Every structure is written in structure tokens, then in C-alpha cells.
Amino acid sequence: SKGEYPHYMRKEIEMQDVSLANAIQGRIDDDGTTPDLDPFPPGTFAAIERIQFVACGTSFHAAKYGAQLLNNAGIPAQSFRASEYDDSIPVDEQTLVVAVTQSGETADTLRAFECAASGGARTVAVTNVVGSTAAREADDALFIRAGPEIGVAATKTFSSQVVVLSLLAHRVSADVADVAPWDDPAAFYDALERLPEDVRTVLDRGDAERVAEEFLGSDAFFFIGRGPGYPVAIEGALKFKEITYEHAEGFAAGELKHGPLALVTPRTPVFTVVTGDDNGTTVTNAEEAQTRGAPIVAVSAPGHRIDDVADASLQIPASHPDLAGLLANVQLQLLSYHTADRLGRAIDKPRNLAKSVTVE
Ligand code: M6R
């Protein structure tokens, strides 16, 4: 039940400290620097040369995030929107195809998965639902343990997908022989163990509600980010359009000046996600929008140079760069929620949408 919460979505956002603790539970080795990921003992992925993710919607954004982490670790990884995946994409026995799907029943994802399997790829389903079609059809399944998600908007499951995919990325990179070891894994695992607490800090801040109020009535809402901040920007925009029905778009920060800047006005706030030090490039991109009058809302940890530029901020605690995007996304979930709530939208069942999309 919703309990004390006005909407399932609110409850699912609020309980993310708990769902993330479940996703992590028992999955870090005693040494604190390697994953302990059932059913994948060390060496499982020794023969793998490349990874392809297939997913839709929010799960695609988590997959894109996961692909970034693998690429940073030196493993070739690509993410595909499942509806765009077909047998023209080369696969072989050295390819690991990972379907990321909360429900495990999304038709486009299942079809892409079948296509990969018939091409000889090894398959893993990352899903929330034990016994789902994806879990049954995959060679192996990895569960995100987020508990049932009732709101049509995916929230806690995105966060748990990101965590589980980061652990999978660590497993694969440890197994693949000619890849250099992950840089300072202890720092990542420390941050991972702190993550439920950090999410709690974000949930208790209250700044998202104030910022939502401040920008109600804007013409459009833009979200920008780079690196792991990019999937968060497009996820922020998807959630925003899905439940507020307002026009929202996510862009790679560097792409603004290649077209979208023409849409930027004093009535289009630009939510700027920064997940680490990128030599200030994203700040420069935000300034390009600010010069055209757009209010800049920083989604970042304190002390980042975006603070010198920003007109408002959605703060996150300092974390590991691989996890900062997840924290930033929680702020954007709250922003969408409070905006939709103020507009009186049908938050748990947005118009025209279904929780599980079982047609192609
Ligand atoms: O069950 P799945 O993760 O495969 O669903 C994929 C998308 O339909 C889903 O993430 C959708 O984009 C969400 N409603 C967005 O909040």
C-alpha cells in the first residue's frame, strides 16, 4: 500500500535508501574491493570481449550509464534502444548481451534479446522480477531486488539498476584478462556502502520542492550532462515529460551549441548535471545557455565550479564519480514529482502510458 504517502511514486522515491541497501546487500566481497555477485563467480566472463546492452525507456538510460562505466574500465560496451536492435548488429560467442528490464516483459527488449541469442551471444537479464520472461529466457539472471514498483514512472528501479550494473561492470573488468585493474576500487566500494545514507541525505533536503515551485510555468525544461551525467540528463527529461506533461528535453551538454541553443530563452531553465571534474567544460556549456538568459540550476556536489554560475541548485553529497549521477537523478525524480504534484497530474498513472509495454 501507499501507507502515509499521497502517491506510490512518492513512496518509491522515498524508500530508495532501503531498496539500494537491498541491491547491495551481500554483493561486496569481504576485502571491500571486489564484487561478490551470485551467479557470477570470478572468471565467469573471461571469454567475453564486448558487451551490448538492450533496453527501453528508463532502463535504457540505466544501460547507457552501465556502458559508460564499462568503457571507462577499458571494456568495449554499447547500449542499444531495444526497438532499434536487429540482426544487422554483429554478435558472436564473445559478446555478452545484457537486457536491462524492470518488468522482464517489455516486448521490444525480449525481441532484441532473442535476436542476440540466436546470433550466438551469451545473455544476461538484469531485472526486478523473478520468474519474468527475460529472467527465464536468459542464460543467467541478475536481480535488482527493488521490490514491486507500482507507479508507472520508474524511479527506485533505475537506481537499483545502476548499482547492479556497476557491480556487473566490476565483475566483467576483473575477469577480462588484458584490461587494467579498476582505478582505486576501494574508493568506489566505500562510496557504494555509503550510498543508501547519501540518498537519504538527498531525500531529506527539500530543495527540489522549492526549485520545482520556482520554475513552474516555464516554457520548457532542459537537462544537460556529459559522461555519466548524460544518461541522467535524458532520464531527468523523460521522467519530467512523463509525469508533468510539460515539454522537457535532455541533451549532451556539448551538443547544446549544435542546435538546441536556438530553443533557449529566459523561460527555459537548464538543469545542469555535473558528476565530477570535467575540466569545467560542462560549466562552459551552462554559461552558453545563461548568456541567452536561461536560468541555470546546478545538480551537483558542493564546491563544484558550477556553483559560481548557477542561479539555483539541487545539491547532492560528495560521492564517487561513478555514483554521483545516481544521486543527481534522485534530485531530478523529486523535481518531476513536485512539479507534477503542483500541476495536479495523475502521477501514478500518467495519461497514455502503461507500466509494462508488451507490444512492439
Ligand atoms: O520494464 P522495463 O524496464 O523493460 O520498461 C521499460 C520502459 O517501458 C520503462 O522504463 C518506461 O520508460 C518508464 N515508465 C519510464 O519511467
Side-chain angles (χ1 to χ4, degrees):
S1 87
K2 291 190 291 217
E4 67 199 88
Y5 299 97
H7 301 98
Y8 282 105
M9 184 191 183
R10 183 68 192 273
K11 179 180 179 189
E12 288 156 4
I13 292 173
E14 283 295 328
M15 304 274 297
Q16 285 180 99
D17 51 346
V18 178
S19 51
L20 283 168
N22 283 338
I24 298 162
Q25 173 70 31
R27 285 174 162 173
I28 303 175
D29 217 352
D30 292 340
D31 64 6
T33 58
T34 39
D36 181 354
L37 208 53
D38 193 40
F40 303 126
T44 305
F45 300 112
I48 292 303
E49 290 179 1
R50 72 195 69 79
I51 307 217
Q52 295 173 352
F53 292 96
V54 292
C56 301
T58 291
S59 293
F60 170 75
H61 300 148
K64 198 168 175 59
Y65 197 130
Q68 286 260 359
L69 299 183
L70 281 156
N71 288 333
N72 288 346
I75 313 241
Q78 284 173 285
S79 48
F80 295 88
R81 296 192 188 269
S83 55
E84 294 291 320
Y85 191 93
D86 59 27
D87 56 13
S88 69
I89 315 278
V91 290
D92 57 21
E93 286 76 25
Q94 284 76 48
T95 310
L96 178 67
V97 174
V98 180
V100 184
T101 166
Q102 186 283 129
S103 61
E105 303 298 345
T106 300
D108 287 316
T109 306
L110 294 175
R111 190 205 43 79
F113 212 30
E114 256 172 52
C115 169
S118 62
R122 177 167 182 174
T123 58
V124 169
V126 173
T127 180
N128 198 27
V129 182
V130 177
S132 60
T133 307
R136 283 186 280 110
E137 289 188 351
D139 293 329
D140 292 289
L142 188 53
F143 296 104
I144 64 169
R145 307 176 184 160
E149 190 176 63
I150 311 293
V152 165
T155 52
K156 62 176 179 175
T157 54
F158 173 87
S159 296
S160 296
Q161 285 168 338
V162 167
V163 157
V164 168
L165 290 176
S166 72
L167 289 166
L168 181 65
H170 279 248
R171 169 79 284 132
V172 174
S173 86
D175 287 355
V176 176
D178 49 356
V179 163
W182 206 287
D183 192 27
D184 197 2
F188 170 78
Y189 286 99
D190 284 351
L192 189 61
E193 284 181 301
R194 242 188 9 254
L195 188 66
E197 231 173 280
D198 285 348
V199 165
R200 191 73 255 155
T201 303
V202 171
L203 294 168
D204 292 342
R205 286 188 57 81
D207 45 3
E209 189 167 5
R210 285 193 298 276
V211 168
E213 184 72 38
E214 184 175 345
F215 294 104
L216 273 180
S218 298
D219 288 345
F221 299 78
F222 298 138
F223 298 79
I224 64 169
R226 95 173 345 89
Y230 174 45
V232 174
I234 53 179
E235 169 57 14
L238 172 64
K239 203 88 336 164
F240 204 90
K241 64 186 88 165
E242 182 179 20
I243 62 164
T244 72
Y245 314 158
E246 294 294 305
H247 180 219
E249 296 294 339
F251 304 111
E255 277 292 305
L256 266 190
K257 57 187 171 298
H258 298 290
L261 210 46
L263 295 171
V264 166
T265 74
R267 297 178 53 81
T268 62
V270 176
F271 295 86
T272 306
V273 177
V274 282
T275 56
D277 183 23
D278 59 9
N279 297 321
T281 329
T282 306
V283 177
T284 306
N285 300 141
E287 282 170 330
E288 290 156 4
Q290 194 173 45
T291 307
R292 279 75 186 181
I296 302 302
V297 184
V299 191
S300 60
H304 194 280
R305 55 182 122 169
I306 188 79
D307 288 346
D308 303 335
V309 174
D311 302 288
S313 96
L314 294 172
Q315 214 182 79
I316 57 171
S319 180
H320 190 276
D322 292 351
L323 297 171
L326 185 162
L327 293 167
N329 188 62
V330 173
Q331 281 285 28
L332 298 182
Q333 292 170 352
L334 289 165
L335 174 80
S336 292
Y337 175 82
H338 288 297
T339 306
D341 195 35
R342 273 302 310 266
L343 295 171
R345 304 301 190 218
I347 292 184
D348 284 334
K349 283 186 185 297
R351 68 185 181 201
N352 310 339
L353 298 174
K355 181 69 182 162
S356 189
V357 185
T358 52
V359 288
E360 279 180 41

